[in-house]
Amino acid sequence: PAHCGDCTTDCGDLFCLDGRCASDCGERAECSGACVDLSTHPTNCGACANACGTGSSCVGGQCQCGDTTVSLANHIQPIFTASCASNGCHDGNNRPGGPGGGGATNLDLSAGNALQSLLDTTTPCGPVLVAGDPDSSILIGKLNGTELCMGSLMPKGNGSLTTEQIHLIATWVCQGAASN
């Protein structure tokens, strides 16, 4: 409302609707002083303050886990192979911490082992992967740099993943982390 339609128009106590000051939100809902479309708004999906989780979007007023099915074999494993199961990291042979190490240091993200290793590995902070719940999965926090109760942003040394790659992994987790 302080910059409605341009940098200088302040609506004061009115709402900013489609770049114009208005006395009400019309067909849209008023959520915390803003006019929003409850059918598509990611933090007001279907109702005010109903935020869609990581890897999901608001479609028709409901949070959904992506428009297309994300495949472990075709979409996720290539990311793990190139960025995580390389350079002596989570590759199943020379994992950080060595054989018998604990927590996520034993995480094996090599082809054929990644899903079971993700499901079986727990850290002092919680499970690495909670199928269907990216926001409770340490994996997503480690990839996007949030919820780092131990350790650091991953992958180390290979540069961080792109926003698109992280979103793809989060969508896969949201869709149930299928072995497809």
Side-chain angles (χ1 to χ4, degrees):
H3 306 283
C4 188
D6 61 39
C7 294
T8 60
T9 302
D10 186 347
C11 292
D13 291 335
L14 299 176
F15 296 100
C16 182
L17 183 63
D18 298 326
R20 297 181 323 270
C21 297
S23 59
D24 63 44
C25 289
E27 298 289 318
R28 296 184 186 163
E30 185 270 316
C31 296
S32 301
C35 297
V36 298
D37 182 348
L38 296 177
S39 68
T40 59
H41 200 274
T43 58
N44 299 289
C45 186
C48 292
N50 184 40
C52 294
T54 305
S56 65
S57 57
C58 186
V59 179
Q62 296 185 359
C63 295
Q64 296 183 358
C65 297
D67 297 355
T68 59
T69 300
V70 178
S71 163
L72 173 62
N74 296 327
H75 302 107
I76 305 305
Q77 190 59 55
I79 297 170
F80 288 162
T81 299
S83 300
C84 309
S86 58
N87 296 328
C89 292
H90 303 287
D91 63 4
N93 295 315
N94 188 19
R95 294 174 281 185
T105 58
N106 266 342
L107 187 61
D108 180 356
L109 296 178
S110 63
N113 297 313
L115 179 58
Q116 196 60 52
S117 186
L118 285 165
L119 290 170
D120 290 347
T121 305
T122 299
T123 72
C125 306
V128 171
L129 175 69
V130 179
D133 190 358
D135 291 328
S136 295
S137 299
I138 299 298
L139 171 67
I140 303 304
K142 295 292 275 184
L143 295 176
N144 68 24
T146 61
E147 304 299 326
L148 297 175
C149 73
M150 63 181 283
S152 60
L153 177 70
M154 290 289 166
K156 285 184 179 178
N158 293 339
S160 60
L161 299 180
T162 66
T163 302
E164 292 79 18
Q165 289 172 315
I166 295 169
H167 182 73
L168 195 64
I169 294 169
T171 300
W172 171 71
V173 174
C174 186
Q175 292 176 348
S179 178
N180 54 357

